[in-house]
């Protein structure tokens, strides 16, 4: 196009698109490489029991071992390219291994795993989970899947059925990123969930609007539906106190700890 129009702005636009595209291809290749060459690792971030002020469980967060690209950047690329299926399997198997290794050290912790919509819609997902659980010594109760509301956009009925089956296995379900999408309180009434996680951005938005009391109402509604509430992105003591006052059951954020590697987690938090 730019060749024909000769207009500068189109040329620039095309160049930018090309850059983004080549960056994508580059990252995609790095992900493929990482799968082949043991290039992924997991970091774990403690989730704090508000009442007891101690680690209740941890969230597994994927990292590339030797170059620091944010998952916020590479996960969408993994999703587009379907690599997320293989990567997601690696994550689940690695978490199970880590829970097993903790068990031998007398550490019993639950781990929350982020699951992409693409993984859930893979017909092999449930059989895979069943197989992994059968072949390991861990209790299904030590696993939680963090899903997003995107899974309700397509094949809602099937997905709800799948979530029910997962919960029947004993694995709990948490709705991640609450407050970033449609965030309809309506679906909280029919989606089988154990928890919701209030996204960091909702806190930032309501603080900015001086409407933080909305959080109290959301927590109340969730509790009325027998859902636990996690507040994400707690960075200051002030936020900690405010979300404790709002009756959030769990708190997570840099104020308590950044995501850390397995050894650091064992030494400091478990
Ligand atoms: P998420 O599941 O909502 O995870 C929370 C993100 O917020 C993490 O970013 C975490 O490091 C960050 N965070 C935690 N506390 C704070 C805080 O106090 N302040 C700020 N500013 N950030 C905080 P991370 O590790 O970069 O992951 C980003 C997203 O990538 C995750 O968001 C999740 O959606 C996705 N992701 C990460 N690992 C996986 C995975 O194994 N599988 C899938 N499908 N997605 C993953
Ligand atoms: Mg999450
Ligand atoms: Mg989240
Ligand atoms: Mg988030």
């Amino acid at each position: 196009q730019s060749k024909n129009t000769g207009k500068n702005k189109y040329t620039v636009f095309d160049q930018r698109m090309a850059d983004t595209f080549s960056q994508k291809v580059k990252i995609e290749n790095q992900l493929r490489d990482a799968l082949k060459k043991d290039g992924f690792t997991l970091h774990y971030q403690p989730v704090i029991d508000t009442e007891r002020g101690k680690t209740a469980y941890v969230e597994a967060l994927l990292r590339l071992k030797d170059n620091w690209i944010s998952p916020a950047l590479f996960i969408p690329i993994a999703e587009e390219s379907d690599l997320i299926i293989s990567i997601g399997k690696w994550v689940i198997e690695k978490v199970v291994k880590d829970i097993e290794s903790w068990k031998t050290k007398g550490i019993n912790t639950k781990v929350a795993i982020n699951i992409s919509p693409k993984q859930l819609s893979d017909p092999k997902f449930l059989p895979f989970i069943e197989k992994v659980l059968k072949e390991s010594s861990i209790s299904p109760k030590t696993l939680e899947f963090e899903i997003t509301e995107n899974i309700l956009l397509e094949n809602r009925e099937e997905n709800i059925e799948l979530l029910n089956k997962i919960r029947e296995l004993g694995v709990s379900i948490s709705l991640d990123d609450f407050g970033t999408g449609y965030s309809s309180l309506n679906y909280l009434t029919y989606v089988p969930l154990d928890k919701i996680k209030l996204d960091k951005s909702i806190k930032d938005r309501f603080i900015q609007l001086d409407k933080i009391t909305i959080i109290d109402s959301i927590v109340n509604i969730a509790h009325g539906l027998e859902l636990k509430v996690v507040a994400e992105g707690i960075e200051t003591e002030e936020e900690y106190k405010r979300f404790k006052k709002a009756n959030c059951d769990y708190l997570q954020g840099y104020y308590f700890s950044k995501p850390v590697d397995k050894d650091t987690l064992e030494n400091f938090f478990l």
Side-chain angles (χ1 to χ4, degrees):
Q1 272 177 354
S2 60
K3 264 183 270 163
N4 301 333
T5 59
K7 278 185 190 166
N8 218 8
K9 63 176 175 179
Y10 290 116
T11 313
V12 170
F13 182 63
D14 282 357
Q15 188 55 51
R16 244 184 242 153
M17 278 178 42
D19 287 347
T20 319
F21 180 74
S22 65
Q23 191 201 23
K24 259 191 195 173
V25 172
K26 203 176 141 202
I27 292 175
E28 207 182 301
N29 286 330
Q30 281 172 334
L31 296 176
R32 256 181 245 284
D33 251 34
L35 269 174
K36 263 184 267 161
K37 297 174 187 156
D38 191 28
F40 286 113
T41 185
L42 291 180
H43 280 188
Y44 292 98
Q45 187 178 35
V47 178
I48 308 301
D49 178 318
T50 313
E51 229 11 80
R52 297 190 310 128
K54 286 187 181 147
T55 304
Y57 65 100
V58 299
E59 177 177 4
L61 294 156
L62 187 61
R63 300 288 182 261
L64 273 163
K65 262 182 197 165
D66 39 43
N67 60 67
W68 210 89
I69 309 172
S70 164
L73 184 66
F74 73 70
I75 291 287
I77 293 171
E79 284 171 344
E80 268 179 58
S81 59
D82 280 349
L83 282 168
I84 195 66
I85 304 284
S86 315
I87 295 174
K89 279 187 183 163
W90 181 87
V91 171
I92 291 164
E93 279 167 344
K94 170 70 173 146
V95 164
V96 169
K97 264 185 239 154
D98 285 351
I99 295 175
E100 280 172 339
S101 121
W102 284 326
K103 265 178 72 175
T104 66
K105 297 177 182 174
I107 298 169
N108 290 294
T109 190
K110 173 160 157 171
V111 180
I113 306 174
N114 292 285
I115 307 286
S116 292
K118 267 225 175 122
Q119 287 174 269
L120 280 180
S121 55
D122 173 10
K124 296 198 198 93
F125 183 74
L126 188 64
F128 171 73
I129 299 302
E130 286 169 334
K131 182 167 171 279
V132 165
L133 284 173
K134 207 173 142 198
E135 287 171 359
S136 93
S137 63
I138 71 157
S139 160
K141 293 201 166 58
T142 56
L143 290 184
E144 178 158 289
F145 291 162
E146 296 197 1
I147 59 158
T148 58
E149 61 182 34
N150 293 341
I151 69 134
L152 301 173
L153 298 181
E154 283 171 54
N155 309 322
R156 179 187 294 195
E157 301 293 312
E158 286 102 287
N159 282 329
I160 287 178
E161 203 184 306
L162 176 62
L163 294 180
N164 275 321
K165 285 184 181 149
I166 292 171
R167 284 178 89 210
E168 276 161 24
L169 293 176
V171 176
S172 54
I173 308 283
S174 175
L175 183 69
D176 207 352
D177 301 338
F178 189 82
T180 57
Y182 294 97
S183 300
S184 140
L185 292 169
N186 177 39
Y187 63 60
L188 295 184
T189 62
Y190 62 79
V191 181
L193 296 170
D194 297 283
K195 280 196 189 94
I196 61 170
K197 297 188 82 176
L198 307 179
D199 197 73
K200 180 182 180 295
S201 65
I202 144 172
K203 172 205 71 187
D204 296 339
R205 179 153 29 99
F206 291 142
I207 286 176
Q208 201 182 22
L209 293 170
D210 203 17
K211 292 272 187 325
I212 194 75
T213 53
I214 293 174
I215 302 287
D216 302 283
S217 314
I218 296 174
V219 176
N220 263 326
I221 292 170
H223 283 166
L225 296 165
E226 285 172 28
L227 297 169
K228 300 281 185 200
V229 181
V230 189
E232 273 188 335
I234 302 298
E235 290 180 342
T236 66
E237 182 166 11
E238 199 192 346
E239 289 172 0
Y240 163 49
K241 286 183 177 155
R242 187 59 188 85
F243 279 85
K244 188 173 179 178
K245 192 177 147 224
N247 282 321
C248 283
D249 306 277
Y250 303 100
L251 305 171
Q252 184 179 6
Y254 295 170
Y255 177 69
F256 305 102
S257 170
K258 291 199 168 183
V260 293
D261 61 54
K262 182 172 176 270
D263 292 338
T264 310
L265 184 84
E266 283 170 23
N267 290 332
F268 291 100
F269 300 101
L270 297 180

